[in-house]
Amino acid sequence: MNEGQATRDVEFLRRALALADRGWGQTAPNPMVGAVVVRDGDVIGEGWHARFGGLHAERVAIAAAGARAEGSTVYVTLEPCAGRGKQPPCVDALIAAKVARVVACSADPTPLKGGGAEKLRAAGITVDLGVLDADARELNAPFFFAATGAARPFVSLKLAVSADGAIAPPSREPQWMTGAPARAEVHRMRANADAIGIGVGTAIADDPLLTVRHWSRPRVNPVRVVFDSEARLPLTSQLVLTAPAQPVLVLGQRPDYGATAALITAGVDVVQVTSLADALAVLHTRGVRHLLVEGGALLASALVRESLADRVIIFHTPARLGPGAVPAFVAGSGDPLSAPDRWTEVVRRPIGDDTLAIWAPRR
Ligand code: AOF
Ligand code: ZN
């Protein structure tokens, strides 16, 4: 393959990744997938997997291209599927359309749908797999993690950190540190999670609602989870007051009997767990494949220490909180701020006046 071709492959797959992103919040537990049909250098069809259970990206893109798809190259962010699920195999549609070549980012890791590349090759279609593989896997990291058979959710840990490394002022008074663009990004991230978790200290200090706002509605609203050893979540908290309309789950290790009864009466689900790892296992049995944890320092530190954080998402703000402020992590946690050598930075970009950094553990 010549260099020009390789550059064009990357360009069209970047376009396909951008299309995949349009399924954000709508496809879980399926991945987001995008596809572009190209003939003689022109885009003649585009598509994406818009919603769980709905048409796959390639079928949408091929339908848009119509008869011109014959002899074309199809760029797709996931290996075209070989098996029947809610949708029929995409390989059948590609073979029927007589496309000449398929370029895909990542192999489909599922037993049901994997193996498409081989089937396409057997039908005489050229297949190139693995272009922009890392980008495509990052977009759907919780999906690829689930496909490894892990018995816990993929855990993203999000925090806003001041220029002096703290998450709250000495008073613990809740205080907005990040700008509006960063806040909107947090709501976008919430829309891609099955559950949003916080420690009870944060629930008491900040009294958050943990819903998706400032972003389009996800297909399924994330369940709100409080890691709350003794079931101290106040009955007057916003979480409890809104529990009848939108589920709240309290995971406690030694939940107080009376407090538990009162929370249950208020519509909160309370489950006794034996450890943090057990709490994650409970969430997994309830179908949570992606948990977004939003603090505080104790929960964040425990997740990092126990190697249960798959991404650490840090919004660095220019604000300073001064001496006595609450540090982002407990000393010795092995977090990306104090032990960056243990982490790989997968994203760093400005967002308004803040900087977004995303870290993945080196495992
Ligand atoms: C593709 N193109 O656009 C998507 C794929 O139940 P189904 O039939 O919708 O299958 C879902 C599975 O298919 C999903 O877990 C993943 O393995 C694959 N997703 N494959 O060829 C697509 N969304
Ligand atoms: Zn498919």
Side-chain angles (χ1 to χ4, degrees), residues 29-34 48-49 52-58 76 78-81 83-88 90 108-110 112-114 143:
N30 281 0
M32 291 167 256
V33 181
W48 65 94
H49 184 47
F52 174 80
L55 280 176
H56 285 189
E58 304 90 310
V76 56
L78 183 68
E79 176 185 24
C81 67
R84 176 174 290 272
K86 291 191 190 320
Q87 292 290 329
C90 287
D108 188 313
T110 67
L112 179 65
K113 293 285 194 175
F143 165 77

Side-chain angles (χ1 to χ4, degrees), residues 261-313:
L263 284 169
I264 289 173
T265 304
V268 173
D269 206 352
V270 183
V271 174
Q272 186 162 10
V273 296
T274 55
S275 64
L276 190 51
D278 184 41
L280 296 184
V282 165
L283 291 174
H284 188 265
T285 62
R286 293 182 169 224
V288 174
R289 296 293 173 265
H290 185 197
L291 169 69
L292 176 65
V293 173
E294 299 198 13
L298 287 182
L299 178 57
S301 302
L303 286 165
V304 167
R305 208 170 41 240
E306 295 181 34
S307 299
L308 295 171
D310 302 295
R311 292 293 179 276
V312 176
I313 301 165

